[in-house]
Structure formats: C-alpha cells, structure tokens
Amino acid sequence: MTRETDETGETNRNIETTDARMPVRNSRRRFLQLGASALAATTLGASSAAAQDAVTEACGSSDTLDVGDGDFLLINNEWGADVDMCIWAAGDGTYGYEWATRTAGGEPNYPEVLLGTKPWGTESGVDAFPVPRGDVDELELTFDVDVAIDGENWNLAEEWWLMDGKPNADGPHTHEIMLVLDWGDEHSHGDPVAPGAIEDAHGNVIDHWVSYDSGGTDADFHIFRLADPTTSGTVDLTAIMSYVETEIGGVSDDLLLSGIEVGNEYWSGTSGDVTFNTLDVAINGQTYSSGDGSTVDDGDNGDDSDGDGSDGDSGDGGDRDVPAWTPDEIYTAGDQVSHDGAVWEAQWWTRGQEPRDEAWYVWQRVE
C-alpha cells in the first residue's frame, strides 16, 4: 500500500520554516503561507554560524532528498490525499517529515525513506538491491525514530517487495511484506491470524497480523507487527522471510528482494512531526547507515555485571573489560569479544562462529 503518486506538477502549499530549522525534540514547526516556488528543495538556515544548522526541505508531491551519504532516498509520498506535507534533512544527519492535519479520507499517505528500489523503478542507487531472495543470509533493520503524531489512525511501518523481474513501469512484484513497528489506537487489522508467530534473533516477538490478496497493488499483501510496539530497536527481517517461505509459501529463491523502506502511513484526522535519528540496514555483511548515529538498544545487551563493579570477564584479550567469546551467545554488528589474546568485533549477526583472522569473516580483529 505504498506506491507513490506520479504527480510532477507544483501547487501552492503551506510550508513551515524556522531560522535554523534544526529538528527540536517535542516541538512542532510553524507553517507559513508560501507560493509555488517553495515546492522545490530549499536549503534553509544558510546564514547560521554553524553549517550543520542548515536544513534542506522539499514539499512537492513525490519530491525526494538524498540522505545517509546518498544511499537512502527520502520521499514525500503523498499518495492518498493532498496534504500540506514536507520532507527535510538536517546538517547533523537527522532527517524526517511533517504534515498538517489531514482531513481527506481515502488511501494513506506514506512519507518514507528507501534503501534499494521499488518495483516500478524508484530507487536510491545501491548495489545490494535488488537481490535474489535465496541469496539473503543477513537482513537486519536498526532504527531510532522520534514520532509525534496527533490523531490515532497511523503506523510506523517497514516493508519490502518480492519481484519476479527487474523493476519496470508495470511493477513486476508478486508479494508486498510489511512489518508494523508502532501504530495508533485506531489503526487495526483485527486480531492477528497467528499471534506470536515469530521470535527473531533479538528476542522480538512478531505477530502475523493479516494477509490480503492485494493491497495498494495486485500483489499478495502480508502484514506483520511487533507484539511489543516500539520506535527504537533492531529487528532480524530474515525471520519474517523464513516464515513467509515455510508458513505462507509461494516464494521461490529467485524472486528479487526490492529493498527496504520505512515510513508512516497515516489517514484522516492526523498531523505529524517525525525525526529519524538512526536508520541502518545490514545485508550480507554490508551495513548502510543513516541518521546521526544515535545509540539504539537492540534488546541483546543485558546486565553483564559480575556484582563486583566490573563489566564482566575480560577473558584473554588484555586489560579491557571485554567479555570472552562464547559459542552459544548471539552477537550483532559492533559487539566486541576477547579470544585467543585479541579483541574482535562482529561485523554482522553471528552465533557459534569462532573468532579468527580471515578476510570477509564475521569477526575482525580490533586489538
């Protein structure tokens, strides 16, 4: 349900601005009446003493901005209704969007950030996507999003498409798969068809919420949700991929995974102000990062204290308080362990793989 409109024409629109336009937590920007020229992407705050105070904004339907060093594409996806809505990217790396109160009904709007491609060709230009589904051994999403939404019919949702051909104008997709991360009280697909259907590598419990024969397109549409909704964390998306393969079926290894998109679907009666602090995607050993690098708790970092004021056994890696590697522990990208007299850092999710010096291996020596 996320196809952006094909509109390219410009219309007058209300756009909010501030002098510096840095995103401020828990504050809503002011909308000012501007003309059609404001629909082009504009750098605001250029007179600020600090260059990082500049914010680029775009308010036209389907306008885009490059974020995350150009790997991600932020899209002002005004799909369901004409709304005063703008996307923005700040000099500190954060980015997001905001919209005035939507009064029209109909399909949702879905301002979003995209890594990879869409079936009909919109793409951010990275080599990792599209990729055959059978070649995906690792696919993780790490996110930290500030969501301030008035109204109750909305969600924060991640999704991807499976395609039986290269992207083209006709959209060669067969499946649309959505994971709802958080949602308002009025957003519902009824009781989940399979509550607690999945538990991923990070301990997230995921419900199979509903499946439809079609959504915004003719593709089979499968919706999942986090049983414990959140706007911050890490999710192993291969767990959903495996469930679709084994429990739903109809997905061959050669279907192409389009990419990853994350945004807010919203319907009538809502207004919003959303900031992405972190949105990272790890796929097959490659991590694409965006945002300002805010720390995200992925649910794996428990209290390792021994009760003596230390952070745990330093193992055999020297004087640093780095835990010893254990074969049964789950590690994710950035975790460090000590083993064989050295400190090692995980490059992606792993369990049971012993640290050793090897090119392109999950463990890399840091000390």
Side-chain angles (χ1 to χ4, degrees):
M1 300 177 66
T2 62
R3 181 165 184 169
E4 65 264 26
T5 64
D6 294 325
E7 294 178 18
T8 57
E10 295 183 346
T11 57
N12 289 343
R13 189 175 303 278
N14 294 329
I15 300 174
E16 53 176 356
T17 62
T18 65
D19 290 338
R21 275 306 306 253
M22 286 296 290
V24 180
R25 303 297 182 265
N26 301 318
S27 68
R28 196 168 302 282
R29 301 174 186 86
R30 297 182 303 275
F31 277 86
L32 301 177
Q33 192 74 280
L34 297 180
S37 61
L39 295 180
T42 305
T43 300
L44 304 176
S47 61
S48 172
Q52 65 267 26
D53 286 350
V55 171
T56 302
E57 182 181 61
C59 301
S61 180
S62 299
D63 275 355
T64 63
L65 295 174
D66 291 332
V67 294
D69 293 327
D71 291 330
F72 296 76
L73 192 66
L74 185 62
I75 305 173
N76 202 41
N77 189 358
E78 188 183 76
W79 174 40
D82 184 12
V83 176
D84 291 328
M85 182 171 71
C86 297
I87 55 175
W88 57 266
D92 67 352
T94 59
Y95 56 88
Y97 38 79
E98 55 191 343
W99 67 92
T101 300
R102 173 175 170 172
T103 58
E107 301 290 354
N109 286 353
Y110 185 56
E112 64 181 282
V113 59
L114 169 71
L115 177 74
T117 185
K118 289 176 176 287
W120 36 90
T122 304
E123 53 103 13
S124 70
V126 294
D127 293 335
F129 297 103
V131 58
R133 190 194 67 84
D135 292 347
V136 178
D137 297 320
E138 177 201 26
L139 185 63
E140 288 197 339
L141 176 73
T142 298
F143 58 99
D144 181 24
V145 187
D146 292 339
V147 176
I149 298 178
D150 294 328
E152 301 298 336
N153 197 358
W154 59 272
N155 66 32
L156 174 67
E158 173 276 333
E159 74 168 8
W160 69 86
W161 305 82
L162 295 177
M163 307 180 294
D164 60 2
K166 293 290 186 179
N168 60 67
D170 294 329
H173 48 289
T174 61
H175 296 78
E176 180 178 1
I177 301 169
M178 174 178 285
L179 173 63
V180 180
L181 308 170
D182 194 15
W183 60 93
D185 290 342
E186 293 180 7
H187 181 66
S188 178
H189 296 280
D191 294 333
V193 298
I198 303 166
E199 183 171 351
D200 76 354
H202 300 283
N204 298 297
V205 176
I206 300 171
D207 300 330
H208 179 188
W209 202 347
V210 70
S211 287
Y212 298 112
D213 291 338
S214 63
T217 70
D218 292 334
D220 292 341
F221 188 24
H222 308 294
I223 302 178
F224 298 83
R225 72 178 188 186
L226 293 179
D228 185 14
T230 184
T231 59
S232 178
T234 298
V235 181
D236 177 14
L237 298 176
T238 62
I240 299 176
M241 190 177 299
S242 296
Y243 178 90
V244 171
E245 178 182 16
T246 60
E247 302 300 324
I248 297 176
V251 289
S252 63
D253 283 350
D254 58 356
L255 287 177
L256 296 177
L257 174 66
S258 62
I260 298 295
E261 52 192 85
V262 179
N264 286 94
E265 289 186 315
Y266 67 87
W267 288 259
S268 179
T270 63
S271 60
D273 188 354
V274 175
T275 297
F276 284 76
N277 304 305
T278 298
L279 187 72
D280 297 347
V281 175
I283 175 168
N284 293 345
Q286 172 71 49
T287 298
Y288 296 94
S289 298
S290 67
D292 63 358
S294 299
T295 301
V296 176
D297 180 5
D298 65 5
D300 286 337
N301 299 320
D303 182 5
D304 293 327
S305 172
D306 293 332
D308 59 0
S310 71
D311 292 329
D313 183 5
S314 62
D316 49 8
D319 296 332
R320 289 186 56 198
D321 289 334
V322 178
W325 174 80
T326 56
D328 296 330
E329 183 75 16
I330 292 175
Y331 301 98
T332 58
D335 287 346
Q336 293 189 350
V337 299
S338 57
H339 186 68
D340 281 349
V343 175
W344 309 80
E345 183 170 288
Q347 306 304 299
W348 55 85
W349 184 95
T350 180
R351 178 170 58 187
Q353 294 175 285
E354 184 176 359
R356 63 178 182 268
D357 284 314
E358 181 178 322
W360 307 110
Y361 189 56
V362 61
W363 293 105
Q364 294 297 309
R365 184 191 295 264
V366 294
E367 289 185 11

